[in-house]
Amino acid sequence: MSLVEGLAPEAGGMLEMISERGTLKCAIPSGPAHFMDGIDKDFCEALAACLFGGDPSKAILVEVADETAGIELLASGEVDVMAGAMWTYGKSVKEESTGFGYSFTQPYFYGKGQENRCLATRQDDSQWSAFVLWVLMSTIHAEDQGITMSTSSSMPDMHLFGPSYSEMFRNAVSVVGNYAEIYARSVAESIPRNGRNTLTTLQNPGPLHFVPPDMMP
């Protein structure tokens, strides 16, 4: 049985615009090296690899002073995505100050209390927000399945965004590895992996990353 392809990049949407530009603009807030030069950078480069046939050099990393500055660039359209953004529940100061809503991926790092780090996109392009989320989740899936950077060819085809992105999962993992590899390379020396930065072991729905408490029903 043949797989049904998802929708191709929407006309005038972020996927089409980024593809035509030929680069991904990713804001990263200034901070400890294991974040800005580590895990935040890795997810920007994983996105670029998914967008441009496995080429992480297509990621233009835009260092900003803090999260607020990054959100402002995201609101103005000067960047396409922000790494190191903190997921917040309900209407946030970010929305009130910029006039836009924002979509946050599953957190890829948890600190103390509600503290977390996510990839953020503007909420006005659901296809792009979904694309960014799937890139992050592909690294978690790879860890769950025991797929590493060296075995990235085992990652499944992706058929949600049309044929141009069918190999996006293996492109992401071939560049940055699975989530465990990313964490070990970037963060583990400073912050040993434990707690909510590990996979759950629930039988249903199966291994996955934890979610912020405010997202729980």
Side-chain angles (χ1 to χ4, degrees):
M1 184 173 69
S2 60
L3 292 173
V4 177
E5 294 286 353
L7 295 175
E10 296 175 357
M14 290 294 293
L15 273 176
E16 182 182 75
M17 182 186 75
I18 295 167
S19 177
E20 291 178 351
R21 184 203 303 145
T23 56
L24 170 76
K25 297 179 181 180
C26 188
I28 299 179
S30 180
H34 54 262
F35 289 137
M36 67 176 296
D37 294 325
I39 198 167
D40 293 345
K41 177 183 176 182
D42 277 355
F43 279 111
C44 290
E45 292 187 342
L47 269 170
C50 291
L51 287 160
F52 301 109
D55 186 355
S57 71
K58 296 291 188 179
I60 297 176
L61 307 177
V62 181
E63 183 180 347
V64 293
D66 52 29
E67 183 192 15
T68 298
I71 288 293
E72 289 173 353
L73 290 185
L74 192 60
S76 68
E78 293 181 59
V79 297
D80 309 312
V81 62
M82 178 184 172
M86 184 171 174
W87 187 91
T88 53
Y89 184 66
K91 188 170 179 65
S92 67
V93 174
K94 301 179 184 71
E95 295 174 78
E96 294 171 352
S97 63
T98 64
F100 287 100
Y102 299 91
S103 294
F104 298 88
T105 63
Q106 176 86 16
Y108 55 81
F109 176 82
Y110 295 89
K112 298 178 181 178
Q114 299 289 17
E115 182 185 352
N116 58 74
R117 299 182 83 83
C118 304
L119 296 169
T121 52
R122 277 175 38 166
Q123 209 171 44
D124 56 359
D125 191 323
S126 59
Q127 186 181 53
W128 172 235
S129 296
F131 187 97
V132 173
L133 173 62
W134 275 108
V135 173
L136 169 63
M137 295 306 293
S138 72
T139 68
I140 297 172
H141 171 80
E143 179 184 4
D144 176 42
Q145 297 299 307
I147 300 171
T148 65
M149 186 182 295
S150 63
T151 60
S152 58
S153 59
S154 299
M155 288 294 285
D157 287 345
M158 161 61 94
H159 293 270
L160 291 180
F161 303 102
S164 297
Y165 303 105
S166 63
E167 297 185 0
M168 59 183 286
F169 282 178
R170 62 179 62 101
N171 287 336
V173 177
S174 71
V175 166
V176 299
N178 66 31
Y179 181 82
E181 290 176 299
I182 296 169
Y183 196 101
R185 183 174 60 246
S186 303
V187 185
E189 185 175 343
S190 301
I191 308 172
R193 190 181 179 194
N194 55 34
R196 287 184 292 167
N197 291 313
T198 58
L199 300 183
T200 71
T201 55
L202 298 175
Q203 295 301 309
N204 185 11
L208 47 90
H209 247 213
F210 288 85
V211 295
D214 283 338
M215 290 178 70
M216 298 297 286

